[in-house]
Amino acid sequence: RLSELNQLSLCISALIFLWIAGFAFLFGRAALQHARFPLTFLLFTIPIPDFLLDKTIYFLQKGTTEIAAVLFDWSGVPVLREGFVFRLAHVSIEVARECSGIRSSLTLLILAILVAHFYLETFWKQLVLVIAGLLVMILKNGVRIVSLTLLASYVDPAFLYGRLHHQGGIVFFLFGLLLLAPLLWLLERTERKIPTQVPS
C-alpha cells in the first residue's frame, strides 16, 4: 500500500507532466525548448517519495559522519567512533536521521542550481557549481556537528539542546554560501567576454 507521501508525489508528478504537455500543445516545440529550465525546475515541487527520501537521508547522514570524523581528527580531540556515534570524554553524540540536514541541504542545492543557471553560461561550469553545492551540503553539516559537540564538551553541555542546535541551521547555511561564493566568483570571472571592437 502506498503511503500518503508516495501518493502525493505521484499526484503532483502527474499534474506537472500534464502542465508541461499542455504548455507544449499550446505554444509549440520552440517555446517548450526556450522554457525548458523553468518547466524542469517545477520538478522540485514534487515531494520526495519514501524510498528516495530514505536513501538521500542516509547519504547525508553517512557523508556527515565521515566529514565529522575527519574534522575531529584534525582538531586533535580524542574521539571514539562507533558507527554514527562519536564518544568524547564528557559528551556522546549520534549523527541521527534528524541530523542529516535534509531541508537546509536541499535549499542549498536548489540555490546552487538557480545561481548556476542565471550567472553561468557554460554547462560544465554550471555542473561544477552544482556538484560543489552537493559537497558543501555535507561539509557544512559536518562542521555543524563538530562545532556543537566541541562546544558542548568544552564550554557548556547545553549547546546540544539550545537554540544553536535547534534554530542555528541558518548560521551554517550562510557558512555554506560563503564557501560557494569564491567558486562562483572564479567561474563567473572566467566567463567574462571581451567585447568585440566595431571597426570605424
Side-chain angles (χ1 to χ4, degrees):
R1 183 179 178 181
L2 290 175
S3 67
E4 292 183 1
L5 180 61
N6 291 337
Q7 290 178 345
L8 182 61
S9 299
L10 288 175
C11 291
I12 294 181
S13 298
L15 179 61
I16 288 176
F17 285 118
L18 180 62
W19 285 346
I20 294 175
F23 183 90
F25 177 77
L26 293 174
F27 300 103
R29 177 179 294 182
L32 180 65
Q33 181 70 14
H34 186 70
R36 64 184 182 276
F37 178 79
L39 291 175
T40 304
F41 199 76
L42 287 173
L43 297 176
F44 281 108
T45 63
I46 302 174
I48 304 176
D50 289 335
F51 73 94
L52 188 57
L53 182 62
D54 290 338
K55 291 182 179 180
T56 303
I57 290 177
Y58 179 80
F59 169 77
L60 292 172
Q61 189 180 5
K62 179 69 174 177
T64 298
T65 304
E66 298 299 331
I67 291 295
V70 172
L71 294 177
F72 276 127
D73 287 340
W74 287 355
S75 70
V77 176
V79 177
L80 174 63
R81 176 182 172 185
E82 298 176 353
F84 291 141
V85 179
F86 293 98
R87 302 190 186 278
L88 282 70
H90 305 290
V91 173
S92 295
I93 187 169
E94 178 185 4
V95 184
R97 287 172 57 90
E98 295 78 7
C99 300
S100 64
I102 181 69
R103 294 182 180 86
S104 61
S105 297
L106 286 176
T107 303
L108 186 62
L109 177 61
I110 291 173
L111 185 59
I113 293 174
L114 285 173
V115 170
H117 174 72
F118 287 109
Y119 287 88
L120 301 174
E121 297 180 2
T122 309
F123 174 75
W124 74 265
K125 292 180 182 178
Q126 294 175 341
L127 187 61
V128 165
L129 187 65
V130 173
I131 293 176
L134 291 172
L135 297 177
V136 168
M137 285 191 318
I138 301 175
L139 177 60
K140 60 92 179 171
N141 211 34
V143 170
R144 176 173 177 261
I145 294 296
V146 172
S147 300
L148 289 172
T149 304
L150 294 180
L151 287 171
S153 181
Y154 293 101
V155 179
D156 186 353
F159 275 104
L160 289 179
Y161 313 100
R163 294 182 60 184
L164 185 61
H165 185 191
H166 296 287
Q167 302 174 10
I170 184 63
V171 176
F172 297 95
F173 178 79
L174 294 176
F175 171 74
L177 293 182
L178 289 176
L179 292 179
L180 284 178
L183 178 60
L184 173 62
W185 176 82
L186 180 62
L187 293 174
E188 187 182 15
R189 185 180 182 185
T190 58
E191 283 206 337
R192 290 178 180 174
K193 300 178 180 179
I194 301 176
T196 56
Q197 294 182 354
V198 179
S200 57

